[in-house]
Structure formats: C-alpha cells, structure tokens
Amino acid sequence: MSRTAPRTEPAGTPLGDAFHVYDTTLRDGAQREGISYSVADKLAVARHLDALGVGYIEGGWPGALPKDTEFFARAAAGELQLRHAALVAFGSTRRAGLTADRDPQVRALLDSQAPVVTLVAKSDRRHIERALRTDVAENCAMVSDTVSFLRGEGRRVFLDAEHFFDGYRFDPDTALRVLEAAVTAGADVAVLCDTNGGMLPLGIAEVVAEVAGRTGFRLGIHCQDDTGCAVGNSVAAVQAGATHVQCTANGYGERAGNADLFAVVGNLVTKLDMPLLPEGAFAELTRISHALAEIANIAPDTHQAYVGASAFAHKAGLHASAIKVDPELYNHMDPAVVGNGQRVLVTEMAGRASVELKGAELGLDLAGRPEVVSEVVQTVKEREAQGWSFEAADASLELIMRSALGDGSQAAPPFTLESYRVIIEHRADGVVVAEATVKVLVDGVRMIATQEGNGPVNALDAALRAALTPSRPWLEKVELSDFKVRILTPGGAAEHPEGHGTDAVTRVLVESTDHGGAWTTVGVHGNVVEASWLALVDALAYAALRRTGPHAAA
Amino acid sequence: MSRTAPRTEPAGTPLGDAFHVYDTTLRDGAQREGISYSVADKLAVARHLDALGVGYIEGGWPGALPKDTEFFARAAAGELQLRHAALVAFGSTRRAGLTADRDPQVRALLDSQAPVVTLVAKSDRRHIERALRTDVAENCAMVSDTVSFLRGEGRRVFLDAEHFFDGYRFDPDTALRVLEAAVTAGADVAVLCDTNGGMLPLGIAEVVAEVAGRTGFRLGIHCQDDTGCAVGNSVAAVQAGATHVQCTANGYGERAGNADLFAVVGNLVTKLDMPLLPEGAFAELTRISHALAEIANIAPDTHQAYVGASAFAHKAGLHASAIKVDPELYNHMDPAVVGNGQRVLVTEMAGRASVELKGAELGLDLAGRPEVVSEVVQTVKEREAQGWSFEAADASLELIMRSALGDGSQAAPPFTLESYRVIIEHRADGVVVAEATVKVLVDGVRMIATQEGNGPVNALDAALRAALTPSRPWLEKVELSDFKVRILTPGGAAEHPEGHGTDAVTRVLVESTDHGGAWTTVGVHGNVVEASWLALVDALAYAALRRTGPHAAA
C-alpha cells in the first residue's frame, strides 16, 4: 500500500504500544467554533504533535471532508515524516444495506493510506434506533463487517464507541455488544466516548473498571468537557484501567471542548509517574501548546494548567516572600519540567522579595544591589498608588529596573516630546474623524507629523510613527497587537467612594510585537489619551531596547 | 455587635445549612493576574452572588488589605443587603507569641463585623516548620486559641486547612491534629485545601473519605486548578462526603485558578440532583457568570462549561442536523435550565423567549406583541454582531424595547446632535488638557457649549450638560458613576488576537445615577470617544425616562 511498512505503534516512547497518547486535534479539535485549519496548518500541527511524541495523530475524516482527504494524500506523498506517531484516519462503519468493500466512505479510509483507522460506531440503543433508524443486530453487523474488512486490508483498527457512557447507563447489554462486535472482528482498542460530556470522574472510573472486568478488552477513553471535568475524567479512566487516552491540543473541540492533551499528559507524567513521552519532549510542552494556539489563531489561555503563562504566577506578597525561601512549597511541581517558568507578579501586595525574584526572571541581578531594589520598590509602590499595575506589564517594569540600575540611556525612548494634539470630531454630516499631530525631537531634529486614525490612540500612534520611521525604519516591523483600557478610582477607592465616573484615572495596557516576540507596557493618567501615550512611549523604548540592547540577541 | 442578628447560615435554599456553596471570588479569585476590584466592584460582585443564592460570600481579608477593610465597613453600614448569603471575613490565626485578643489581625476580623470568619491555618508539617518556623504544638495552639476567641465573640468559624492534601500525604497525624485543634475549639467546618493544586479526583475522593471516617468532622473542600481538575476534584470530594465546597466565579484565582463556581454548581445540581440554589436562581447561572466577567473586566470564556457562549454550540454537520430531530440526544442537558441556549449557527444568539422574559423583567409586556419581539430580536442581533452587548446594559436594552413598542418619544434623548469636537493637547509645558464643544438643538433652540475636562469623555459630558441644564436643571442630579471600556475584535470574536490593536472596535459601558437609582448604558464604535458619546446619550435619554416616564415613581 505504501512504500515502507507504515507504523502502527508509537515509536521511541518508553511505554511503546502499552499506552496510547492519541491526539484528535485535527479531527475533533477542529470542531471548535472559530477554528478553520488549512491543509498546510494541519501538516504543521501534525509535525508539532509528533515532536512532542504522541503515539497517534488522527488526521481527519477522509472522504467526508475534502481538506482531510487532501491532508492524507499529501502526508502519504511524503510531506509528513513522523518520527514517533502513527497516522490515523477517522471514519464511520459501512452504511446499513451495503457491504463494507462497496461503501465509498470505507473505501476512502483505505485510499487515505493511513495505517490505522478509528471507526466510530453508535453504542447507545436510543441513537441506534432514533438517529440511525436501524436495530442493534444490524448496527453490530455494520461494526464487525467494517472492522474485518479493514483488518483484511492490513489496517490496525480502533473503535470509538460513541455515546458509550449514556448508552451503558440506559442499556448496558447493547453497549457491550457493540464493543464485542468490534473486538471479536479484530479491533485492538474499544474507546469509550463521553460524547455529550455529561460524566463526572468517579462515575467514569466506575464504568471503565466495570467494563474492563466484564469484557477483558483493551479500553480507551474520549472525554468532552461539558462538565468542566474532561481532564479529570480522562485521568480517572486511566487509573481505572484505560490504556489509550484521546485528547486535543489545548482542549480544542466542539461546545466546551475536549480533554486538553497538555493537562492530561502533564498529570499522567508528573502525578502518576507514567513515562509517556520520548526523552526531552516533556520540556517542550509549553512551547508546543503555544505554537498550536498560534496555528489555530486562538490566544493562548493564560490560566491553562501546566502551560499557561500564569500557571506558575504568584501574586500574594505572603506567598512571594515564602517562595524565595522555598519555591517547592508553593508550586505543585517545578515549572521548568514542562518548559514553563515561575513568575512573580509585582503588585501592591508585593515587597522586596518579589522585586528581586522578578529581576532575576528578567535577567537583571538585583540581589547584591539593595539600594536599587529599594528604589524599584518605592517607584512601584508610588505608581501603584496612582493606579499603575505592573503585573501584566513586564516591559514597563523592566524599564523602571534598568533605569534604577543606571541603564538610563537604554531605558529611554528614542525621541523627546515637545507636544501633541488630538482632535476628534463628530461632524454635522454624521462622520466621525480622529486626527493627531505630534511635535518631537529625534536625534536633535524637530519632526512634525499629522495622521488620521479611526480613534484618538490609533491616530496618535500613526502620527508618532510617521515622525520616527524616517530615522528608525525598523519601527515599521513593530505593531500594536492588543490594547486594554481600565478605569480606576483615583488614589484607591477609599478616597472617592462615590462618583468615580469620567473623571476617574485610566489605565491602559498596550501589547506590542515585532514578530520576534511580544511585550506589554502600561500608562496611567486621568486622560485616556495621555495614558495611552505613556504606554506607547514605553512600548517604543522597549522596542529599541530589544533591537540594540540586551534583548537584541533574543 | 451589630444591630440585627447577622445571618450565619444560608437562607432560602432547599438544603439550608446542610450544604454550603461557599464563594471566595472576592478573596481568592482576586489573586488572579489582571483582576483589581474596586470596593464598588466588590459590592456589585457580592450582590450578584447573593442573587444566585450562594450560601457564603467571602468578602476579603480585613486588616491585611485596606480595600477589604473598607468593603466590610461599607457592607456593615448597610450598603450590602444579603437575601441568601452570609458574609465571611477571611484571616489568619493569631501569630506565635501573641494572645488572640491582642493580635491586630484577629482584631480586624472582629472589627469587620462579619458574622462568619474563615481562618487559614497550616496543616503541612513542612510549612509549619519551614515557612512558619514554629512547631506543630504551637501551630495547633494558634488555631485553637483563635477559634475559641472568635467563638467567644459570637462568630461562626470555619477552618481552611492550607496545603492539607500535601501535608496529609507527608505526615497525616500532623494534618489531622490541626483539624482537631480547630473543631474541638468550635470550628464548624474543616476545609481541606489543595493549595498547590496538584491533586487528581480519585486521590481527593480517597483522602476525603478517609479523613471523614477517621475524624467524623464536617468537611469542606477547596481546590486550585493546577492539574486542570479543580472542578472534578471538588465534585469528587462532595461525592466522598464533603458538605461545603469553596469556589470562585468563572474559576478566577491565582496561577491556573480555582474551581469554577458555575461548573461545580452545574454539576452538583444537574448530575448529582442536589437542590442547592433558591427557586429560579439556576436559570440565572449564565447571566450572572457573564456579569461577573464584566465586572472583573475579563472577556467571558466562550468555551466554559454550562455558561460559555459556545457551551451548547454545535458545528459538526452530522450533529447539527440530528439535533433538529432530537436535541436531547446531542446535549448533556437542556441549556435553558442554566439560562444558556443551544446554538447551531453563530448568529442564533438572541432568542424570542429571552427578549420576552427580559421585557417582563423590565416591566414591559411583550408576550402579546410578536412583531415587537421580532423587531427587538432583529435589532439586538444586528448590534451584537457589531460588538454591542446588552447583558450588562439594561437601560440601553429598555430604550430599544420602548422604541419598538412605539414609545419613541419616551425613548429619545432630550436633544438633537448637530456636531461635537474634542481636542486633547499635551502642551509644550507638559500640561495635558481636554476640551469639548457640542452643538445641539434643545426644544428647537440651537445651543453651543464648550467645556474642559480631565479627559475627552469627561469634557464631552460636561459640554453636553452645559448645553442642556438651562432647560433641564434636574440633569444636575444625574452623574456618571462608572465607566468601563473594552476593546473588541470587529465581528465580536474575542479570540483572534491578531491585529486588533488601536484599530479595533471599542465597547463602552456607562453607569449613571440620579441618587434614586442607577442604570447602565452601552455604546460601540471604532472610536472610543464616539462609543462613549453613544452611551452618554442613552444615559441621558434614560434619565429623562426615569423623570417623566414610567420610572418616575420608582
């Protein structure tokens, strides 16, 4: 069928075929609202998953979706070289009244050249009767015929028993008959699917243990997250005897999503001591999670277990000082193990210890410079009392630290402001326009630039860039990628319990990117435009630092 | 201590004191990176939680954080009237070497006037010795002294046993001695905390059952989400015997967060048939989740279990067509039960039923006016596609409904705009000024007014009032009391971080008060000033409606 013997078992993982980490990001994950993978995206996702060392990559449903058919064709033509994973095609059993070899959908599974096929079959009698409009005997025949046919063609076969848990509760005999039809015909794994996602961990563990005891079959688990328990359910199933776990990257999937691959693998490896991944791959968990979010064009979940940017971020001063003494007391594990890092959030609750830890995190050694730490703590406290917040604005905090360290020139913006003016008009014809003029000194030269924008900050940003890019052409690569606004009561709520309306203080967070990395800066002022300006200025100062200073190599 | 007997048990819930839904959004939830509640925010959060019917609202740590001290003071002064929940103050036990009555932190707990106190205590011997630098006996004395003192002062006391699961694994006797010290001294609940969040559901269930068996104490559970299992862990603990569950709204919390209140309650109510909430409150789950996200200024998680906008959204063609035949086969529950809706297409969000229900809530009878309902649904859908959101802007929604009902004159603002202009200048002397000019027709008279403000919206608000107050002196009583800004990707997809910088769509929520009540209006535009203008105009139209229309009596 293909030139070299296609792999049907995981390669290079300590447990080999004894345990399957089975990824269905490219099929079930693609059901998530907002995801639309191109074929090139799918190939890139598969390469990342293979680098992580999952055992199986379910590439899609050939014959049902043209993009999936093409994905398998391009993979078979050599565009996808897998080092660890076996490629899987997903599809349904033959239709009622057709033989398997004549069913075009089954044919498409063969044509995909995938060495492994996962067949989905109904195992809930209500679905068999009401959705499929057939009976249990014919449903089981559809399963066993299709499995036999594919086995005869040299394929390894797994069975996804759809709606298994609901079906088992409603009519256990039917549910078990479907598994038996598949395994007797040669399927290697019977995957119990919580398709509607309504299960809880203890219930999952009970059913998996019971089915394992009654059948002796090799069992897999596939959980949806409708109760917020997909990860817990998957792990509980493994503890109850499942040796094949289906997940998606970052939990992408229909409705509330699927079990998150990274959390499931993180738990099995660190909590249950199962060596699932190839040597060195576990430390790639965070990077690969973020890369797959990038391909899906979904902002990474900052609070995701194990891999989120905040997963090891500590805010409470109480904890921060104790962490310095003994980090292992305040994290469930060492974040470096999954390629993540501990972060200390410098906030009103924080003290010297957090500033030192933060400095070390940013590569600045403040440990031997108590006077610098004092100055930074003082500046941070003063600014936070005015409404500044540095916990999400590392770049602004680094500029403060560098300035306190005497790196003043590096921390300064690449220009001096003389003045700016922004005009917003709602004209009599109903059109709304924004226009900004900036007057700045750049390398001693006075530059005046005027630009329009669809809002005051957009116009100001455009005008500032127009003034700077003649001498700083690299600024064209720097873009604002996010912009957040928060209105605050001045001086803390205590002083103004009432009436903090339009005369309140505004905090603006600006995220910038130069396509090599991203950084966040902050500005605070009573005027939202001036607050935005301050954050923009920090953003450009930091961009210059990235280009010429200590970040240049990064 | 306070004038009326303060509530120490949940009121109006079917299970009463037999089961505690305990919310710690205002304390542990506030540890989430990016959350910074004002005192007014905290009061608003508490009111929403009370409306949902949680049994306990942990308001903060009085004495440790000035904002929390003020929150309790304002609550005690009558600003927080709770119908269902009891208010809880959180704090630590007395310090080593001080008596409880002399410890200022313990005093602050009393001074808060909260009827219930949750004390946090260390239960892991390593933390007692390495972080607290004391021994187990003194740690237990600190616990029992503080509990006894607070009980003697008439407080109900719960104990949060910090790092319990890690501690119990390391040295079970020490962990149990700490619980015993608390319960013997009068604490009603011993809450087992997975502070570092490293547990899995089966392990949690095993320990909870074992501790319940060994002690006979009433147990609570508090889970962090570092394994992605906080919800599953919390539910497993309840199944193993815990009768008090600590959660935060939307799972807000430090690092990966806490157990999500809405998922935990959703699971306990729908999967374990526990009637936890007051009559009718369960259908408010989705609305309250989104309102609390709004207050936290965090975009709601569209894929959150039960309450996410996508939680019942089906994309798979296979499912979508089958759902039409038999919806119950493809959802784990009826989404309406939690006030959510099933969605097959992205635009099918606002339903007729919800508009009718909302109308009834606002005192408008739309049941017999199908054409009015259609018009409102159409308007809401169109606006929501552009980024408007009426979930937190009842006043704007009421204006749309009244307009559709033919109450056009009542729903219109008390003027016609010709044009406005706002100028923001950062002058060469460093002073930042904002100035606005409005030209409006009021009762057929053309009025031109210019005012300064400390920001563009403040200046615009001042100028508009200057033009209107000569003929509408009652406007002087109307004030903006809050102002929130959110940047959105055009088309409403909060998930695409690419390129939604300063050129994104801005949504502004304005809260106004006339000291007889408060109302919220919304405006959306690419330009933040125009978005604010739209919300201001609605705010004044609604103010007029309150004065002359059906709200005049309210």
Side-chain angles (χ1 to χ4, degrees):
Chain A
M1 214 109 323
S2 61
R3 286 136 302 200
T4 59
R7 179 183 305 130
T8 60
E9 297 190 356
T13 62
L15 294 181
D17 198 50
F19 193 90
H20 297 171
V21 177
Y22 182 110
D23 181 275
T24 176
T25 305
L26 293 173
R27 204 266 310 166
D28 225 18
Q31 301 291 332
R32 176 180 163 122
E33 196 176 355
I35 286 189
S36 173
Y37 291 125
S38 67
V39 176
D41 288 340
K42 295 188 75 141
L43 291 164
V45 168
R47 290 184 196 109
H48 280 295
L49 292 167
D50 186 56
L52 183 64
V54 308
Y56 293 91
I57 297 171
E58 191 178 89
W61 190 334
L65 298 170
K67 265 196 239 168
D68 290 4
T69 307
E70 186 189 337
F71 167 80
F72 283 103
R74 288 171 62 175
E79 277 195 66
L80 187 62
Q81 304 292 337
L82 299 177
R83 289 173 54 214
H84 302 111
L87 192 60
V88 185
F90 176 91
S92 55
T93 58
R94 71 160 174 82
R95 269 172 281 173
L98 264 185
T99 57
D101 64 320
R102 293 201 170 181
D103 187 304
Q105 291 239 35
V106 177
R107 276 276 155 208
L109 291 170
L110 279 187
D111 293 344
S112 76
Q113 298 187 46
V116 183
V117 172
T118 293
L119 288 175
V120 60
K122 300 212 176 288
S123 56
D124 181 328
R125 185 153 60 79
R126 293 164 297 188
H127 282 262
I128 293 168
E129 292 168 355
R130 282 148 70 179
L132 214 56
R133 295 175 191 278
T134 185
D135 59 25
V136 174
E138 171 63 6
N139 182 65
C140 287
M142 287 155 62
V143 170
S144 62
D145 287 357
T146 316
V147 173
S148 297
F149 173 71
L150 291 169
R151 294 287 293 121
E153 296 286 335
R155 300 304 193 275
R156 188 174 196 183
V157 180
F158 303 146
L159 182 87
D160 269 7
E162 204 189 36
H163 297 287
F164 181 84
F165 292 91
D166 299 338
Y168 187 78
R169 181 159 37 195
F170 177 71
D171 176 0
D173 288 341
T174 293
L176 294 177
R177 274 180 68 189
V178 174
L179 303 188
E180 196 180 6
V183 173
T184 306
D188 279 343
V189 182
V191 183
L192 313 185
C193 301
D194 184 22
T195 310
N196 287 353
M199 294 295 290
L200 300 173
L202 300 187
I204 288 266
E206 190 183 328
V207 172
V208 169
E210 194 174 298
V211 172
R214 286 177 72 171
T215 65
F217 298 158
R218 179 169 189 175
L219 300 181
I221 186 73
H222 175 116
C223 295
Q224 300 289 135
D225 202 29
D226 299 78
T227 60
C229 293
V231 172
N233 286 347
S234 302
V235 172
V238 170
Q239 291 175 290
T243 57
H244 166 122
V245 61
Q246 300 196 349
C247 307
T248 64
N250 304 322
Y252 299 147
E254 195 172 41
R255 306 189 310 274
N258 287 46
D260 171 22
L261 170 70
F262 304 110
V264 170
V265 167
N267 287 333
L268 296 179
V269 170
T270 67
K271 307 307 174 199
L272 301 181
D273 296 320
M274 297 173 66
L276 298 181
L277 300 182
E279 172 122 22
F282 199 49
E284 301 294 312
L285 212 64
T286 301
R287 183 183 65 76
I288 290 174
S289 164
H290 294 197
L292 294 179
E294 193 70 36
I295 296 170
N297 202 19
I298 289 173
D301 174 3
T302 51
H303 295 264
Q304 197 172 340
Y306 293 97
V307 299
S310 298
F312 300 92
H314 293 267
K315 186 166 170 180
L318 174 80
H319 283 189
S321 55
I323 286 164
K324 220 182 120 184
V325 180
D326 209 337
E328 74 170 77
L329 289 184
Y330 290 90
N331 282 319
H332 69 108
M333 58 175 287
D334 176 3
V337 169
V338 290
N340 207 339
Q342 177 173 290
R343 289 168 58 226
V344 174
L345 307 173
V346 175
T347 73
E348 56 187 328
M349 304 173 192
R352 301 179 61 89
S354 0
V355 166
E356 270 183 45
L357 283 169
K358 190 75 201 177
E361 195 184 305
L362 297 173
L364 303 172
D365 185 11
L366 304 179
R369 305 283 300 274
E371 78 294 353
V372 171
V373 173
S374 297
E375 188 183 328
V376 172
V377 168
Q378 189 60 25
T379 305
V380 167
K381 282 205 171 150
E382 280 170 18
R383 296 238 185 136
E384 292 207 328
Q386 296 159 23
W388 296 68
S389 167
F390 297 96
E391 63 179 69
D394 276 2
S396 286
L397 183 60
E398 184 173 337
L399 293 173
I400 288 172
M401 288 182 171
R402 287 193 182 279
S403 180
L405 273 167
D407 283 357
S409 61
Q410 286 191 339
F415 63 90
T416 308
L417 175 70
E418 181 185 311
S419 67
Y420 68 70
R421 181 183 65 238
V422 184
I423 300 172
I424 304 108
E425 279 186 290
H426 182 126
R427 298 190 318 216
D429 62 3
V431 174
V432 179
V433 291
E435 176 200 294
T437 301
V438 300
K439 301 179 184 176
V440 291
L441 279 177
V442 187
D443 305 328
V445 181
R446 188 160 181 260
M447 302 288 290
I448 302 184
T450 299
Q451 292 284 304
E452 290 187 332
N454 62 0
V457 180
N458 185 230
L460 197 52
D461 181 47
L464 181 57
R465 281 156 195 280
L468 296 177
T469 38
S471 60
R472 306 281 191 285
W474 51 267
L475 268 176
E476 282 179 14
K477 268 182 50 194
V478 178
E479 281 175 18
L480 299 198
S481 52
D482 200 5
F483 181 74
K484 287 199 167 80
V485 179
R486 172 94 186 156
I487 314 296
L488 304 162
T489 309
E495 293 172 21
H496 294 264
E498 297 295 330
H500 72 108
T502 44
D503 60 353
V505 167
T506 302
R507 179 166 70 217
V508 170
L509 287 172
V510 164
E511 189 186 291
S512 308
T513 174
D514 56 9
H515 300 283
W519 61 97
T520 303
T521 52
V522 59
V524 172
H525 197 270
N527 188 318
V528 62
V529 175
E530 176 70 7
S532 306
W533 170 263
L534 295 171
L536 284 176
V537 170
D538 263 12
L540 296 184
Y542 197 80
L545 192 66
R546 282 176 60 81
R547 190 175 154 78
T548 60
H551 293 277
Chain B
M1 210 101 333
S2 59
R3 287 135 303 199
T4 59
R7 179 183 304 129
T8 60
E9 298 190 357
T13 62
L15 294 181
D17 198 51
F19 192 90
H20 298 171
V21 176
Y22 182 109
D23 181 275
T24 176
T25 305
L26 292 174
R27 203 266 311 166
D28 226 17
Q31 300 291 332
R32 176 180 163 123
E33 191 174 0
I35 286 189
S36 174
Y37 291 123
S38 68
V39 177
D41 287 340
K42 294 188 75 139
L43 291 164
V45 168
R47 290 184 194 110
H48 280 294
L49 291 167
D50 186 55
L52 182 64
V54 308
Y56 293 90
I57 297 171
E58 191 177 271
W61 191 335
L65 297 171
K67 268 194 233 168
D68 290 3
T69 307
E70 186 190 337
F71 167 80
F72 283 103
R74 287 172 62 176
E79 276 196 65
L80 187 61
Q81 303 292 338
L82 299 177
R83 289 174 53 214
H84 301 111
L87 192 60
V88 185
F90 175 92
S92 54
T93 58
R94 71 160 174 84
R95 269 173 280 173
L98 263 185
T99 57
D101 64 319
R102 295 204 167 177
D103 188 303
Q105 292 240 34
V106 178
R107 277 274 155 210
L109 290 170
L110 279 188
D111 293 345
S112 76
Q113 298 187 46
V116 183
V117 172
T118 293
L119 287 175
V120 60
K122 300 211 177 289
S123 56
D124 181 328
R125 184 153 62 78
R126 294 163 299 188
H127 282 262
I128 293 168
E129 292 169 354
R130 283 148 68 179
L132 215 55
R133 295 175 191 278
T134 186
D135 60 24
V136 175
E138 172 63 7
N139 182 65
C140 288
M142 286 155 63
V143 170
S144 62
D145 287 357
T146 316
V147 173
S148 298
F149 173 71
L150 291 169
R151 294 288 293 120
E153 296 287 333
R155 299 304 192 274
R156 187 173 195 185
V157 180
F158 302 146
L159 183 86
D160 269 7
E162 204 189 36
H163 298 287
F164 182 84
F165 292 92
D166 298 338
Y168 186 79
R169 180 158 41 194
F170 177 72
D171 175 0
D173 289 340
T174 294
L176 294 178
R177 274 181 68 189
V178 175
L179 303 189
E180 196 180 5
V183 174
T184 306
D188 278 342
V189 183
V191 183
L192 313 185
C193 301
D194 184 22
T195 309
N196 288 352
M199 294 295 289
L200 300 173
L202 299 187
I204 287 266
E206 190 183 327
V207 172
V208 169
E210 194 174 298
V211 172
R214 287 177 70 171
T215 65
F217 298 157
R218 179 169 189 175
L219 299 181
I221 185 74
H222 176 115
C223 294
Q224 301 288 135
D225 201 29
D226 299 78
T227 61
C229 293
V231 171
N233 285 348
S234 301
V235 172
V238 170
Q239 290 175 290
T243 56
H244 166 120
V245 62
Q246 299 195 350
C247 306
T248 64
N250 305 320
Y252 298 147
E254 194 170 42
R255 306 190 310 274
N258 287 46
D260 171 21
L261 170 70
F262 304 109
V264 170
V265 166
N267 287 333
L268 296 179
V269 170
T270 67
K271 308 306 174 198
L272 302 181
D273 296 321
M274 296 173 67
L276 298 181
L277 301 181
E279 173 122 22
F282 199 48
E284 302 293 313
L285 211 64
T286 301
R287 183 183 66 76
I288 289 174
S289 164
H290 294 196
L292 294 179
E294 197 68 45
I295 295 170
N297 203 21
I298 290 173
D301 175 3
T302 51
H303 295 266
Q304 198 173 340
Y306 292 97
V307 299
S310 299
F312 299 91
H314 292 267
K315 184 168 168 182
L318 176 81
H319 284 188
S321 54
I323 285 163
K324 261 176 86 178
V325 181
D326 208 338
E328 75 170 76
L329 289 184
Y330 290 90
N331 281 321
H332 69 107
M333 58 174 289
D334 175 4
V337 169
V338 289
N340 208 339
Q342 177 174 287
R343 290 162 56 218
V344 174
L345 300 171
V346 179
T347 49
E348 284 184 355
M349 284 184 71
R352 302 178 60 87
S354 50
V355 166
E356 273 183 39
L357 281 169
K358 194 73 203 175
E361 196 183 308
L362 297 172
L364 303 171
D365 186 10
L366 304 179
R369 306 282 302 273
E371 79 295 350
V372 171
V373 173
S374 296
E375 189 184 328
V376 172
V377 167
Q378 189 61 27
T379 305
V380 168
K381 274 189 187 173
E382 282 169 15
R383 296 237 186 139
E384 291 203 331
Q386 296 159 22
W388 295 69
S389 167
F390 298 96
E391 265 166 24
D394 276 2
S396 286
L397 183 59
E398 183 173 337
L399 292 173
I400 290 172
M401 288 181 170
R402 287 194 182 279
S403 179
L405 272 167
D407 282 358
S409 61
Q410 286 191 339
F415 64 90
T416 308
L417 175 70
E418 181 184 312
S419 66
Y420 69 70
R421 181 184 66 238
V422 183
I423 301 172
I424 304 108
E425 278 186 289
H426 182 125
R427 298 190 318 216
D429 61 5
V431 173
V432 179
V433 290
E435 175 199 295
T437 301
V438 300
K439 301 178 183 176
V440 291
L441 279 175
V442 188
D443 306 327
V445 180
R446 187 159 180 262
M447 301 287 291
I448 301 184
T450 298
Q451 291 284 306
E452 291 188 330
N454 62 359
V457 180
N458 184 231
L460 198 52
D461 182 49
L464 181 57
R465 282 158 195 277
L468 296 177
T469 38
S471 59
R472 307 278 190 287
W474 51 266
L475 268 176
E476 283 179 14
K477 265 182 53 195
V478 178
E479 280 176 17
L480 299 198
S481 52
D482 200 6
F483 181 72
K484 285 199 163 80
V485 179
R486 171 158 302 159
I487 313 296
L488 303 163
T489 307
E495 289 174 8
H496 293 268
E498 297 303 318
H500 77 109
T502 44
D503 59 354
V505 168
T506 302
R507 179 165 73 215
V508 169
L509 288 172
V510 164
E511 190 186 291
S512 308
T513 173
D514 56 9
H515 301 284
W519 60 98
T520 302
T521 52
V522 58
V524 171
H525 197 270
N527 188 320
V528 61
V529 174
E530 177 70 8
S532 306
W533 170 263
L534 295 171
L536 284 176
V537 170
D538 263 13
L540 296 184
Y542 197 81
L545 191 67
R546 282 178 61 83
R547 187 174 157 76
T548 61
H551 291 278

